[in-house]
Amino acid sequence: MFQTDKEIIVRINELRAERNAVILAHNYELGEVQDIADFAGDSLELSQKAAETDADVIVFCGVKFMAETANLLSPDKTVLLPVAEAGCDMADMADAEGLRKLKAEHPGAIVACYVNSTAEVKAESDICVTSSNALAMINSLPEDREIIFVPDMNLGRYCMEQTGRKMILWEGFCPVHVRITADQIKRRKAEYPNAQVLMHPESSKESIDLADYALSTGGILKHARESSCKEFIIATEIGIMHRLQQENPDKKFIAASEQAVCPAMKLIRLQDVLTSLETMETKVVVPEEIAERAKRPIVRMLEETAKLSK
Ligand code: 13P
Ligand code: SF4
C-alpha cells in the first residue's frame, strides 16, 4: 500500500513505462490527475491523441464515452477507464431506439451526434462533432438535407444560430452547464467589468448571449493564453481552472459558478490511476456488433477536421 501522493506517482511512472501506457486526461479532471497525464485536453484533442498513439495501453481519465471513442479509434490497444462508473449524464439522455424512431419520422435526414453520446447512438449517426469543431462540421453538410442533432439541444441551438442551418434537436442537455445562469453571469460582469466572458456552448442560450466567446475547453485554454486581456469569467466546469491558472499565472480567472461541478469528472483520483495500471481494469470495449458503425461518424469527423486544418 502506498501512503503519499509522491509514492503513488513514482509507482504510476514505473507501471506507465513497464506497460507502455499513455495517460490521457480531460480538462475537467482533478488537478492531480491532469498533472500526471501525458496529455490533458478537450474531447477532440483527446480523440486525436487516442487515434495516433503508439502506446499499448491508454489510461483514459475522463468519462465513459471518451474511453469508448478511444477504443473505437484504437481497437488493438487496451483502453482503461480507472473508475467504471464515470459516465456523462447528457450522453445517457439519448438512446438508439428513440433516435431510430426520430430518423423514421425524417427519412433522408443526416444525423449529427455530439461526441458526448453512447456508442449505440453513434452507431445510428452519420457524423460526429465536438464542441471545438461543431460549426465547421455542420457547415460541411449538404444544404439540401435535413439535419437531426443529438443529444445536446443547447449546443444544437447554438450551431443553428451560428450556421443558419435549421436542425431537428434532441432535447438533451448538460446538467452541469445549465446550472450556470444568466443572472450569475450578469452579477460576475458587474463585479469584474473588464473581464471577458469565456463560455462553453453547452450552456443555455440566455447565458451564451452574455458571453464574449463560446468555446470548447481547449478553445478556452487557447484563448486565455493568447489574449492580451488579463481577467476572464470562466463559464464552464470548474476543473478547467487548474490549467488556466497554471498556464497563466499573471492572469485572473473567475469561476462564473462554483456549482458548475461535474461529479463524474471528479471520480478518478491518483490512487485509481495506479490501481487501474496494476489490475489493467476497467477495460472499455465497444461490442463488436456496433463498433464498426459507431466508428464511422468519428472517423468522418477526424477526416473533415484534418481537411479543414490544411
Ligand atoms: P470539450 O470537448 O469542450 O472538452 O467538452 C467536453 C465536455 O464534456 C463538456 O461538458
Ligand atoms: Fe457530461 Fe456535462 Fe459532465 Fe461534460 S460536464 S461530462 S457534458 S455531464
Side-chain angles (χ1 to χ4, degrees), residues 29 81 235 252:
E29 288 289 312
L81 182 61
K252 188 172 173 67

Side-chain angles (χ1 to χ4, degrees), residues 26 28 62-63 65-66 87-91 114 116 152 173-177 200 202 236-237 261-265:
H26 187 265
Y28 294 159
V63 291
F65 76 80
M66 297 178 179
C88 166
D89 285 346
M90 172 165 52
Y114 189 25
N116 295 39
D152 186 9
F173 60 91
C174 167
V176 180
H177 282 87
H200 198 280
E202 284 174 16
T236 189
E237 210 274 352
V261 180
C262 176
M265 288 285 189

Side-chain angles (χ1 to χ4, degrees), residues 164-183:
R165 294 295 303 265
K166 212 174 153 331
M167 302 198 288
I168 299 138
L169 303 180
W170 189 276
E171 292 188 359
F173 60 91
C174 167
V176 180
H177 282 87
V178 299
R179 233 171 267 156
I180 304 171
T181 64
D183 278 350

